[in-house]
Amino acid sequence: MSVLVLLDHTPDGALRAPVRELLTLARDIAGADVHAAWPASGAEPTEETVAELGAMGVGHVHRLVADADLRLSAVVATGLASLVGAIGADLVLALSTFENKEVAARLAVATGAGVVTDADALTVEDGRYVAGKTVFAGTWTTRCAVTTPLAIVLVKANSVVAYPAEDAVPVAIDDHAFQADDAARRVRLVERTERPASGRPDLASAHVVVAGGRGTEGDFSAVEELADVLGAAVGATRVATDEGWIGHDAQIGQTGVTISPRLYIGAGISGAVHHRGGMQASGTIVAINSDPDAPIFEIADFGVVGDLFQVLPQAAAELRARKG
Amino acid sequence: MCVKHVPDIQSERALGPDHRVVRDGGDGTLNELDENALEAALTLVEAAGEGSVTALTVGPDDAVDAVRKGLQMGADEAVHVVDDAIAGSDAIGTARVLAAAIRHLGGADLVVTGMAGLDGLTSLLPTALAELLDAAALPLAAEVTVDGATVRVRRNLDHATEVLEAELPAVVSVTDQANEPRYPNFKGIMAAKKKPVTTLTLADLGLDAAEVGAAGSRTEVLDAAARPARDDRVLINDTGDAGVRLAAFLLDNQLV
Ligand SMILES: Cc1cc2nc3c(=O)[nH]c(=O)nc-3n(C[C@H](O)[C@H](O)[C@H](O)COP(=O)(O)OP(=O)(O)OC[C@H]3O[C@@H](n4cnc5c(N)ncnc54)[C@H](O)[C@@H]3O)c2cc1C
Ligand SMILES: Nc1ncnc2c1ncn2[C@@H]1O[C@H](COP(=O)(O)O)[C@@H](O)[C@H]1O
């Protein structure tokens, strides 16, 4: 079993947090021999990043280097296709993001690989990779085997607990140079604007999320206050993002970000099916809503029928007091 | 333009004993997000002042409703690929059938799809389809414009906003932010009744049954189970101390 992990990284050369989960999974499967690919799209791994990779058990880092823009998914897919061949990998692991779904689709067409997206577990059974996956807004769990020699598995954030290897390994970094063919050059990146970091955890991978909906009437201060006490990310419904109360990147749901944090707290959110589709797989669900018949209470472990402007600040104050 | 017939997301969705989506519950519908795709295709053709929109779907008998809805919204033609051997296809298999159908129909300058099927939500199809058609892939458009032979999209990703451009032919998938789908009006509904739906089989497309369907699928669902409902649910009414009780719940369950 030889595993290749795609290293999603920030423009500053740091690993995206959930990549550590992938590295943990990869090590469980491949033992010591974990390979990783670093798309050289401008940023290089910082010293800290290299140390972290070693601590996670990654012995081989292959910089994908091309005469084309590695921020384009088609170019990354081309590089991975040739790297998979070069190192003889039988599994490619990457985070389940929209960009990586593009990479996976192209890589699958190019290599004949089978793909599982949005996986939350991965095992080897009878020599085949078997991924766990919830479907239909987290209401069904399935197990899905990849039947081809090469498997591509995209894993959701918060699926496994990341931990370092027993012994850190030395990290060898080499260049994997490749040519981007015409097919990889069909699309031009005219403009890319990185979203400024909010200072709060990243919504897609946060362990705790506090979300607000129409019930906030545009005032997110109570939601943000509780989020900050909990060290949580802030999310929202599409109503709140469409109204411009908060950025579109905060939208949780079927057409927004899919999250599965340990704890989700929704305030002033009815629990429409489109929203539930993006959060129903959360560990513990808490809902605050003034309407006792709000559908979100059907899936809430702890529900409060009440006014969010009363309940949230009181909870925040109590937590601050008890945490000292 | 490709549309998908999926179980209505407001209904109880299920996987059958064969681990496939139950698609014959009688409450199937046009994948909601594909209405955005239809709207985008219609608007682009209207803006260009020429061209036509074909609604294409791959799926069982019922799936014809999806392209009918497309005709009602204003598509010029409808094509339904139906064949027992297609059942059980994964996203790549479906992309193969769609690519063959588009070739059979003489190709398309622009293929517009939804951002995701609200059933499987894999979002793999648009990129795979582009690859199979030797066309550019521009997924997740929140805005799409065509200027001559150049297509341009703006898209919002997790960490960034991008503007992408490519020469036609291209495959674009559009998000629900791209537009507000029109409702079919009475005239559209009447006109749609007169428009025929072309039905194609794998043989018509020159596709081998072994390449698609369960036979050609690269993944196999081993088991599927409905998740048990959450138990031990607590619902309290705020009588003045709900915030304190919420904090206690979080602390007691080691959630903070
Ligand atoms: C194709 C499509 C895709 C969509 N995708 C998404 C998506 O990805 N994500 C998403 O979220 N939505 C999505 N939607 C929209 C979705 O259908 C709902 O409209 C939306 O989620 C509702 O948001 P809400 O809960 O904030 O508002 P509402 O449904 O209006 O609910 C507001 C709730 O706040 C409560 N409330 C009011 N005041 C207070 C108060 N002071 N204290 C406590 N509670 C209060 C009310 O009782 C009510 O239950 C999509 C819709 C479509 C058609
Ligand atoms: N069977 C199908 N027939 C036609 N279009 C499809 C089919 N399956 C998927 N699509 C299109 O591809 C998009 C993405 O689907 P998916 O990759 O399944 O999430 C959908 O929004 C549809 O536009």
Side-chain angles (χ1 to χ4, degrees):
Chain A
M1 311 248 127
S2 172
V3 185
L4 176 64
V5 181
L6 178 60
L7 299 175
D8 275 332
H9 56 81
T10 69
D12 309 324
L15 294 178
R16 297 269 179 213
V19 169
R20 294 174 187 91
E21 299 176 31
L22 298 181
L23 297 175
T24 307
L25 265 179
R27 211 176 51 226
D28 283 352
I29 284 169
D33 201 25
V34 175
H35 290 256
W38 180 278
S41 53
E44 294 304 330
T46 62
E47 243 172 76
E48 256 173 44
T49 305
V50 176
E52 194 175 9
L53 287 167
M56 293 301 293
V58 182
H60 316 270
V61 174
H62 309 276
R63 287 176 71 240
L64 298 179
V65 184
D67 51 347
D69 194 334
L70 275 139
R71 293 174 300 175
L72 287 167
S73 58
V75 180
V76 176
T78 309
L80 287 179
S82 66
L83 180 57
V84 162
I87 63 174
D90 58 11
L91 171 66
V92 176
L93 279 180
L95 295 179
S96 208
T97 63
F98 278 117
E99 282 146 300
N100 287 347
K101 287 175 180 179
E102 294 167 34
V103 171
R106 274 191 63 117
L107 189 56
V109 172
T111 62
V115 189
V116 180
T117 63
D118 301 291
D120 54 20
L122 184 65
T123 53
V124 181
E125 288 172 32
D126 303 328
R128 295 195 305 191
Y129 290 109
V130 177
K133 167 171 177 156
T134 65
V135 296
F136 298 152
T139 54
W140 281 69
T141 53
T142 65
R143 286 185 336 120
C144 198
V146 179
T147 54
T148 46
L150 176 65
I152 304 170
V153 178
L154 304 187
V155 183
K156 288 197 302 182
N158 285 324
S159 296
V160 297
V161 178
Y163 59 91
E166 231 157 80
D167 300 302
V169 299
V171 184
I173 305 185
D174 63 23
D175 281 2
H176 180 78
F178 65 97
Q179 296 237 294
D181 56 6
D182 291 346
R185 293 175 186 279
R186 287 192 195 106
V187 175
R188 298 182 291 279
L189 180 59
V190 179
E191 198 181 291
R192 179 174 165 106
T193 317
E194 300 290 332
R195 215 166 277 121
S198 67
R200 295 198 176 91
D202 188 37
L203 178 60
S205 57
H207 297 305
V208 181
V209 171
V210 185
R214 196 198 300 274
T216 64
E217 290 171 22
D219 180 359
F220 262 67
S221 59
V223 169
E224 288 172 353
E225 184 196 0
L226 182 62
D228 290 342
V229 174
L230 294 169
V234 171
T237 62
R238 194 172 85 169
V239 168
T241 58
D242 278 354
E243 291 284 343
W245 298 340
I246 185 166
H248 269 292
D249 45 314
Q251 181 186 320
I252 297 167
Q254 229 134 20
T255 56
V257 185
T258 302
I259 58 168
S260 41
R262 277 186 71 216
L263 170 64
Y264 163 98
I265 301 179
I269 292 176
S270 61
V273 60
H274 299 99
H275 183 75
R276 293 215 307 246
M279 48 63 69
Q280 198 153 345
S282 302
T284 298
I285 296 175
V286 172
I288 298 99
N289 195 304
S290 47
D291 173 7
D293 296 324
I296 195 154
F297 287 133
E298 291 162 21
I299 56 161
D301 299 287
F302 190 85
V304 178
V305 181
D307 181 358
L308 72 95
F309 292 105
Q310 301 291 324
V311 179
L312 297 189
Q314 193 183 73
E318 177 73 6
L319 285 168
R320 257 194 306 262
R322 289 184 50 179
K323 287 203 301 184
Chain B
M1 112 111 261
C2 303
V3 293
K4 184 174 189 176
H5 181 81
V6 297
D8 188 339
I9 65 166
Q10 305 287 353
S11 68
E12 282 287 322
R13 291 173 294 173
L15 293 171
D18 56 356
H19 304 146
R20 293 179 190 158
V21 178
V22 176
R23 293 190 191 271
D24 55 5
D27 44 11
T29 166
L30 170 65
N31 178 20
E32 215 175 349
L33 293 169
D34 293 349
E35 292 182 19
N36 295 100
L38 266 164
E39 180 62 39
L42 293 167
T43 318
L44 288 170
V45 165
E46 283 159 11
E50 54 163 351
S52 70
V53 176
T54 303
L56 167 65
T57 192
V58 173
D61 289 338
D62 285 2
V64 71
D65 295 349
V67 287
R68 282 245 160 74
K69 176 85 188 279
L71 289 176
Q72 292 176 352
M73 282 176 72
D76 302 283
E77 283 169 55
V79 178
H80 177 200
V81 185
V82 54
D83 200 307
D84 288 343
I86 296 174
S89 290
D90 57 8
I92 309 282
T94 307
R96 280 211 194 105
V97 179
L98 285 170
I102 291 166
R103 287 224 161 88
H104 177 87
L105 297 169
D109 297 318
L110 186 64
V111 177
V112 188
T113 77
M115 67 183 281
L118 282 180
D119 52 350
L121 269 182
T122 71
S123 297
L124 294 172
L125 189 129
T127 309
L129 179 59
E131 194 64 15
L132 293 168
L133 288 172
D134 279 321
L138 302 100
L140 285 184
E143 229 176 86
V144 46
T145 50
V146 177
D147 183 6
T150 308
V151 54
R152 179 187 266 249
V153 312
R154 191 179 53 75
R155 58 193 208 134
N156 299 317
L157 301 168
D158 284 352
H159 302 285
T161 314
E162 287 183 347
V163 177
L164 301 177
E165 218 175 66
E167 302 312 309
L168 299 176
V171 178
V172 170
S173 83
V174 298
T175 72
D176 59 326
Q177 287 170 30
N179 52 44
E180 201 53 60
R182 65 193 70 179
Y183 286 105
N185 56 24
F186 181 70
K187 217 175 107 212
I189 294 171
M190 293 316 287
K193 287 201 172 131
K194 295 203 199 85
K195 296 182 197 165
V197 176
T198 308
T199 305
L200 297 172
T201 63
L202 288 182
D204 295 327
L205 301 181
L207 276 179
D208 183 357
E211 286 177 60
V212 299
S217 178
R218 301 164 178 189
T219 52
E220 180 193 335
V221 181
L222 301 179
D223 41 62
R227 273 193 157 187
R230 289 170 188 264
D231 41 71
D232 300 334
R233 285 186 292 130
V234 178
L235 185 63
I236 63 168
N237 274 303
D238 185 16
T239 50
D241 63 349
V244 171
R245 292 170 69 185
L246 169 56
F249 171 81
L250 297 178
L251 290 163
D252 293 349
N253 290 284
Q254 269 126 36
L255 291 166
V256 292

